[in-house]
Amino acid sequence: MEPHYRVRIYLLTALILFGFGSLLTRLHSFQIERKEHFQAQVPGSRIVTVREPGIRGNITDRNGVELARNLRNYEVSFNLDEIYRAYRRQHDDAPSIDRITNESGLQRKKTEKDIAKVVNDWTVGRLKELGLDKSYNESALRVHYRTHGGLVPFTYRADLTYEEFAKFAEHNLELPGVTIRTKPQREYPYGALASHVIGFVKQWEKKDITDAEKREFNHYVGDERGEMGIEGTMDKHLRGISAKTQVVMDEKGAIISSFPESNPRAGSNVQLTLDARIQLLAENVLRENIGRGAAVVMDVNTGEVLAMASVPDYDLNSFVPSITAKQFAAYNANPFKPFTNRCLSGFAPGSTFKLPTAISGAMKGLATNSFSCSPGYIKFGNHSVGCWLYNQRKGNHGTLGLSKAIQQSCNPYFNKMANAVTPRGMAEGFTLVGFGQKTGIELPNEEPGLIPGNKEWKARNPNATVTPVENAFLSIGQGYAMATPLQLCAMVSCIANGGKYYSPRIVKRVVADDGEIVVNDTPKLKVDITEAGVKPSDLDLIRKGMWMAVNEAGGTAGKVKIPNIEVAAKTGTAQTIDRGKKSHNAWVVSFAPFDKPKYAVCVLVQNGGSGGAVAGPLANMIYQGIFGQENEGIRLRLFPQTEFAGNDKRYEAEDMILPENFLSTIQATPADDGESGDEADTTAPESVSSSAKPTAPKPTITEEAEAEGLIPRAKPVRGRRR
């Protein structure tokens, strides 16, 4: 072929390729880059599918007092895609911004739409003219759009008054992409009251949206999720049923009409066993007298928890709708752990463990045996366990029976009984009444405690054996022994009611929105210990000893005594390490009335003196409040609680001065002669302690979103209004 023909063919080929390249470039520009712009020019309406969350159920106490409920909240949200499309209908170009990203360790510059400028120019400007604008976090809006696009509306305002809501509704057609709606917002009307029991909710997250939902909905609003407490454990019942709505929009993005395919439905209501007035009583008895501790009140005949107080605590409303980063950091920085529910945390129980030791002895037929306290201590190799009487240089108790040993809280008696029972028998007896295992109460982060020799202990220590000294320490609640206030209260309830161990429960019933009973109000009888070898007469001996501890001279629990009601109790004082220093846990476990038991009360004071001198008066005040309301017509107050930060002060007998007019006249009682906590030369691990650390809460945190290296353009992109 001639050379000049070849040149012509090459030129023709180049022209064709250039033409196709130009065509493809223009097609990409029209169909990809400017697709939204041209779609916006097409007249006519379109249908958008919206998901709306269900309405969360309420949480009430046993008497119907609302502890968690929903308020009607007026909210303004932006559909950022709609706003962007409306902006592009009036502008040839849209503003953009450069963002520095870090990919595989390399910094790169990426150009993206400046959605914040679009919103400010197109929407917020109009709201300002109407007097409805409010400052907002532009960085958060950019991050939201980058993450969700138009699928999830951006909440602009959630604090509208009804008048502002009405004004928004009046001008809604002038504000494309702006949606106003009523949205339920969680409220805790009593603030910090029962915060460890109720818990809080957190906002839903992107990961909650399934792929199927992304395909089904153009706009998605998720459900709040329960976090901590009953909000968390009962979340599947409390969550409502979501709704689906078809929204018709005109070519300008304004809403023409909406057709709900289904309406949002409320979740179930959860009724707790708590009595809000007794709960507030218990909390304030702790708050006004100690820095850290717990109190549990139970119905001995059903296992229902009437109060579960733990201090320090936190304000539930701090998490509505989300907690600030500053406030959350302050909670976490508090060394006294306000998120820890001490009622479910393991502590060295001290002499309160003489009661399950007595039960273990009764199972082996030893309840009627006598053991000698002489000479006032027992030697186990290099270890010795002394009686408090001997340690105070007052001699020893001589030979005692079970009731007297409980009244006097004699260490050698129970040391000898424990080793007569054997470590295996002790583990069986303690397990029978709920120690060394979770009770199964409907709350998160419950700790099992620790009982040397039981199944869980052997699983962690397969080659270890329980020595006589470790078994002796277990009998008086020292050494490795750990128990929670709830476990101790449930055990005392079992003793009080004649041997029936009811699993503690905090949920009374769950009722669906249509009235269907989802969870029935049924006591959970776990075991009757009289069928395991414990005779009713053995329990009578244990109860008599507890009665003597309160009502007879020489008892360790005299300060629990109240007028006109006979109370039975057992005190305990455990050596421990608290914040790196030697300390004591002060305990009292009790029940009343003695002849027809109804209530069990367990009180723990961290860094307290002796159980009788420090925890005893607190139980006294709780009983006075309960029976004052029940028998004397006194109505316990109910009001919002502020949060209590706690302290690590040492509390002694002189700090526990009973108010002279606390509901009724206080009967004077002799000074406490109980154990000092120095009977055994052993120290328990630091409280709060257990093999499992409580899970930290994971709330929704409101904070300034990172700007992520945004670089505004030096020259704004030109645009013109049509």
Side-chain angles (χ1 to χ4, degrees), residues 130-320:
L130 298 171
L132 297 172
D133 66 307
K134 188 178 181 180
S135 61
Y136 72 100
N137 189 329
E138 294 183 10
S139 296
L141 182 139
R142 290 189 177 100
V143 171
H144 181 92
Y145 187 64
R146 194 179 306 133
T147 304
H148 301 292
L151 177 63
V152 178
F154 176 80
T155 301
Y156 172 65
R157 288 190 62 179
D159 60 346
L160 293 182
T161 64
Y162 180 77
E163 290 72 20
E164 290 175 321
F165 175 80
K167 195 170 184 180
F168 261 109
E170 180 183 353
H171 296 278
N172 193 41
L173 292 177
E174 306 168 21
L175 302 167
V178 178
T179 303
I180 54 171
R181 63 191 179 102
T182 57
K183 177 186 176 184
Q185 179 168 291
R186 210 61 165 163
E187 182 197 38
Y188 303 99
Y190 295 102
L193 181 70
S195 56
H196 297 102
V197 173
I198 298 170
F200 53 86
V201 295
K202 62 180 294 187
Q203 304 301 308
W204 62 279
E205 300 172 345
K206 180 184 178 182
K207 64 182 180 182
D208 298 333
I209 311 175
T210 65
D211 291 337
E213 287 174 323
K214 289 179 181 179
R215 292 189 294 269
E216 182 180 4
F217 297 103
N218 301 102
H219 302 325
Y220 186 99
V221 182
D223 298 282
E224 294 175 321
R225 292 187 290 113
E227 186 78 16
M228 306 295 287
I230 289 298
E231 291 277 30
T233 58
M234 293 287 113
D235 185 60
K236 66 178 181 180
H237 298 300
L238 289 165
R239 280 202 203 191
I241 299 174
S242 63
K244 182 178 180 180
T245 302
Q246 302 282 359
V247 178
V248 180
M249 293 184 171
D250 64 16
E251 65 274 7
K252 296 181 179 180
I255 296 174
I256 300 173
S257 60
S258 62
F259 303 94
E261 286 190 13
S262 60
N263 293 316
R265 288 173 53 190
S268 299
N269 293 320
V270 175
Q271 183 182 33
L272 303 182
T273 62
L274 289 186
D275 184 311
R277 296 179 187 278
I278 297 178
Q279 176 73 26
L280 189 136
L281 166 72
E283 288 188 11
N284 280 296
V285 165
L286 297 183
R287 285 161 165 257
E288 294 172 11
N289 294 282
I290 65 170
R292 290 167 295 149
V296 179
V297 182
M298 288 181 64
D299 182 329
V300 303
N301 298 305
T302 64
E304 294 177 328
V305 176
L306 304 177
M308 183 179 279
S310 176
V311 293
D313 54 19
Y314 59 95
D315 188 348
L316 293 171
N317 288 312
S318 298
F319 296 85
V320 180

Side-chain angles (χ1 to χ4, degrees), residues 308-383:
M308 183 179 279
S310 176
V311 293
D313 54 19
Y314 59 95
D315 188 348
L316 293 171
N317 288 312
S318 298
F319 296 85
V320 180
S322 58
I323 189 169
T324 65
K326 182 179 179 180
Q327 178 64 68
F328 191 55
Y331 280 142
N332 283 322
N334 184 338
F336 311 125
K337 302 178 182 179
F339 292 128
T340 297
N341 185 350
R342 285 164 166 78
C343 298
L344 304 180
S345 301
F347 297 87
S351 290
T352 61
F353 257 24
K354 290 171 182 173
L355 297 179
T357 299
I359 291 172
S360 302
M363 289 174 63
K364 300 300 181 182
L366 301 176
T368 55
N369 284 28
S370 296
F371 295 96
S372 175
C373 177
S374 180
Y377 63 90
I378 301 178
K379 290 285 290 185
F380 295 96
N382 295 326
H383 297 277

Side-chain angles (χ1 to χ4, degrees), residues 70 82 111 135 149 161 187-188 191 295 316 320-321 325 327 429-430 440 502 551 653 674 687 704:
N70 301 304
E82 295 289 346
T111 300
S135 61
T161 64
E187 182 197 38
Y188 303 99
L316 293 171
V320 180
Q327 178 64 68
F430 276 70
Y502 289 99
N551 298 285
S687 305
E704 290 295 319

Side-chain angles (χ1 to χ4, degrees), residues 405-515:
I406 291 173
Q407 180 210 16
Q408 295 286 322
S409 196
C410 177
N411 280 353
Y413 177 97
F414 289 98
N415 297 158
K416 291 176 180 179
M417 174 179 272
N419 281 318
V421 171
T422 75
R424 180 176 179 178
M426 288 282 284
E428 290 174 354
F430 276 70
T431 301
L432 184 69
V433 287
F435 294 104
Q437 57 194 319
K438 296 181 180 181
T439 68
I441 195 168
E442 306 92 333
L443 288 170
N445 301 329
E446 181 184 11
E447 298 182 9
L450 182 61
I451 301 300
N454 72 353
K455 191 181 300 182
E456 290 75 13
W457 185 85
K458 288 180 178 179
R460 290 198 297 269
N461 306 278
N463 299 317
T465 59
V466 179
T467 65
V469 67
E470 289 171 341
N471 200 40
F473 285 158
L474 173 61
S475 73
I476 60 172
Q478 292 284 179
Y480 298 111
M482 287 283 169
T484 70
L486 180 64
Q487 288 173 331
L488 285 163
C489 201
M491 179 268 298
V492 170
S493 295
C494 175
I495 292 172
N497 68 32
K500 292 180 172 59
Y501 183 94
Y502 289 99
S503 295
R505 58 193 180 105
I506 199 80
V507 173
K508 190 171 183 66
R509 64 168 60 87
V510 177
V511 183
D513 188 47
D514 60 4

Side-chain angles (χ1 to χ4, degrees), residues 541-558:
L541 290 174
I542 296 173
R543 284 194 292 266
K544 181 181 178 182
M546 295 177 69
W547 180 89
M548 292 166 62
V550 175
N551 298 285
E552 290 191 356
T556 62

